Amino acid sequence: MSPQESTESTTPAPGEGGHRWPLWEVFVRSSRGLSHVHAGSLHAPDAAMALRNARDLYTRRNEGVSIWVVPSDAIAASDPDAKGAFFESPQGKDYRHATYYTKSEGVKHL
Amino acid sequence: MTQSLGDASASATRILPSSSPRSQARDGALAAGAPPGNALRPEDIALAAQQGAAKPGEDVANYALRLGDDALILAQRLAHWISRAPELEEDVALGNIALDQLGHARSFLTYAGSAWGKTEDELAYFRREPEFRSAHLFEQPNGDFAATIARQFIVANYQFPLYRALVNSSDPLLAAIAAKAVKEVDYHRDHSTQWVLRLAGGTEESRRRMIAGLKLMWPFVGELFEDDALTARLGDAGVVPSSLKAEFDRATAEVLDEAELDVSAYPMATGGGRQGRHSEHLGFVLAELQVLAREFPGASW
């Protein structure tokens, strides 16, 4: 490596177990009136930089009017292995949908 | 006026929500011809020049050439960071800033070139080093991340008040280019400010590097605010460089004070970039920038 190259755009390689920025989850609102939707995740040293990185990474093509960032470890997630116990119970329980019921005779304004 | 210059066929890809009736109406409007946001693009300027609607005088063209060269050389420098920044996220941040600067360069050079029957590419790729009019700051090597942030901090605090004032230019196209650029440069200012504060207030090592970066870059501040015969002749069409110095001093001092950094002792370099006298660095930048276009004239991909 020539001396010129060695002074150009250099970033010291992080050592073993070197410092890493924490992970953040990014939520982007695509336009007024819609809700924030999970767009992805990124690394940033703090919340202020996470917002800026999110702007650079997830709104480059006009996707958003508002951004939320949340530390990834602040999110409690359901266990994918417990999918059966968690999410299969409602199957076949049609009576939980309003469309299951027929309108009684004589009821107005329904 | 920007609206009438629209050219829908060249509009960039944009992700639009596609399900609601409202967004379908918007898609319809897009198909009918208005580029989203009505941002002024270099293609619009080239079209206006072709139609004879925009042709700058010699002085305005030379002024646009200075601003365009500043942005072009900085874009080339910053692009070198892609894949080399401390984190992937900073690769993208610096890459975005580089692309913003490249966009400004394309607009300014397209406009300047229309005075001489030259395209932006002819100006970027086929001028020799002494024909470039960029200030020395922009060609300074990237150094480490802190040195690049120091350069960004100076550039953004110079370009922001410059473009904010240029919005009121008596030249409608310079004003239109500045109106688009000022919002982007405002973000560059924020990006560099955040990093100056964090590097200065981070670890002993990051503070040492921030101080070293400012010491490297600060001597090139002086040249940015030098008036000359061209800026005097421009009158209401341009911005007198020295008139921006007070705002630059105020805005940078605010951040540097908070970061407990002192740049008052650094001497000023002699400059000369506006007359085409450059440091040893520009030739290498241009070699990399121009080699493909010169090796394969007319190449496209």
Side-chain angles (χ1 to χ4, degrees), chain B residues 115-269:
Chain B
W116 308 308
K118 286 183 188 296
T119 65
E120 50 176 318
D121 282 0
E122 285 169 326
L123 288 179
Y125 296 131
F126 295 97
R127 271 182 303 156
R128 292 161 56 246
E129 183 185 317
E131 296 172 280
F132 275 78
R133 292 290 177 268
S134 47
H136 283 199
L137 175 67
F138 301 90
E139 68 204 47
Q140 292 310 305
N142 286 339
D144 63 9
F145 183 68
T148 288
I149 291 300
R151 192 182 59 204
Q152 279 307 106
F153 181 65
I154 297 169
V155 168
N157 278 293
Y158 160 68
Q159 287 183 334
F160 180 70
L162 166 65
Y163 293 150
R164 196 176 48 184
L166 197 58
V167 166
N168 301 316
S169 167
S170 59
D171 185 285
L173 264 170
L174 282 185
I177 298 168
K180 176 165 193 298
V182 71
K183 285 174 250 169
E184 298 177 343
V185 172
D186 195 14
Y187 185 77
H188 305 172
R189 204 168 54 128
D190 175 75
H191 175 266
S192 63
T193 297
Q194 297 296 327
W195 274 117
V196 167
L197 294 175
R198 277 164 181 76
L199 292 171
T203 64
E204 209 172 294
E205 175 68 1
S206 73
R207 184 172 177 81
R208 183 187 69 73
R209 284 172 182 257
M210 190 67 249
I211 291 170
L214 285 168
K215 191 176 177 185
L216 268 176
M217 300 295 176
W218 209 261
F220 303 101
V221 165
E223 183 186 8
L224 301 174
F225 301 99
E226 280 171 15
D227 303 338
D228 64 8
L230 174 64
T231 59
R233 281 199 306 272
L234 278 168
D236 294 342
V239 179
V240 179
S242 60
S243 70
L244 302 167
K245 187 62 168 42
E247 172 59 15
F248 174 87
D249 289 343
R250 190 203 60 74
T252 52
E254 202 171 281
V255 179
L256 295 174
D257 288 351
E258 189 181 339
E260 295 175 10
L261 295 167
D262 181 15
V263 295
S264 57
Y266 301 143
M268 287 301 142

